[in-house]
Amino acid sequence: MRVLGIDPGLTRCGMGVVEGSVGRPLHLVDVNVLRTSADLPVAQRLVTIEKGIDAWLDEHAPDAVAVERVFARSDSSTIMGTAQASGIALVVAARRGLPVATHTPSEVKAAVSGSGRAGKAQVGAMVTRILRLDAPPKPADAADALALAITHIWRGGAQARIEAAVAAARSRS
């Protein structure tokens, strides 16, 4: 399975593609950060993010897309931009008919490090180890995007099977 992980942000949007399956070594395909200037109007920044995600989907042809679920942080000034970038990511993937999943930050941290309270450095170190990289991906948005893709490969398939079973049970009753 090839998964595009997206750590949404209006200034920095982390993008990471990981390939592999549960119980097998995972492989880094590509990682980068889409950047937009705070000097541009928000609408133009969102168009830049949309075009960037579209280009990544064209180039890497993922089987699924995993996006960080937006949550209310203490820094409310970034919530709106993060939510807008997240919405763009969800729409771009859904428009192509790709399976899209969202994962909370604590779910991602727990999946890659064993602790839902892991810090950025610990997540970066575990991504480096899991993907057998020489150094942690920089900036943290890049490492977070890879962590999202890893989480989806490890947990997303099982979650999709559970949801399908629940839906089938509901349709029978």
Side-chain angles (χ1 to χ4, degrees):
M1 172 181 265
R2 181 177 277 206
V3 176
L4 168 60
I6 301 175
D7 180 35
L10 198 51
T11 302
R12 290 181 319 276
C13 184
M15 309 280 288
V17 179
V18 175
E19 194 167 67
S21 59
V22 175
R24 309 288 248 157
L26 302 181
H27 304 281
L28 168 68
V29 176
D30 200 359
V31 65
N32 209 334
V33 175
L34 299 174
R35 297 175 192 274
T36 68
S37 171
D39 296 335
L40 295 174
V42 171
Q44 186 57 48
R45 296 171 78 185
L46 293 171
V47 168
T48 300
I49 291 168
E50 179 193 25
K51 288 179 180 178
I53 294 170
D54 256 338
W56 271 66
L57 293 173
D58 287 341
E59 182 177 350
H60 298 295
D63 300 306
V65 176
V67 181
E68 184 174 275
R69 184 175 297 153
V70 178
F71 70 106
R73 291 181 267 206
S74 57
D75 182 6
S76 62
S77 66
T78 62
I79 293 171
M80 183 61 83
T82 301
Q84 290 168 327
S86 177
I88 293 294
L90 296 171
V91 167
V92 171
R95 186 185 307 134
R96 292 176 180 237
L98 290 169
V100 182
T102 58
H103 300 281
T104 65
S106 59
E107 179 186 357
V108 172
K109 291 172 184 179
V112 300
S113 76
S115 170
R117 295 177 178 216
K120 293 268 188 201
Q122 190 175 358
V123 169
M126 289 308 298
V127 165
T128 302
R129 197 166 171 193
I130 292 164
L131 297 176
R132 297 171 315 284
L133 305 175
D134 294 331
K138 299 281 186 197
D141 309 273
D144 289 350
L146 292 172
L148 277 153
I150 291 166
T151 298
H152 189 72
I153 290 170
W154 286 351
R155 295 188 172 180
Q159 187 62 39
R161 288 190 298 277
I162 290 167
E163 289 170 5
V166 168
R170 283 189 186 138
S171 68
R172 286 192 297 264
S173 51

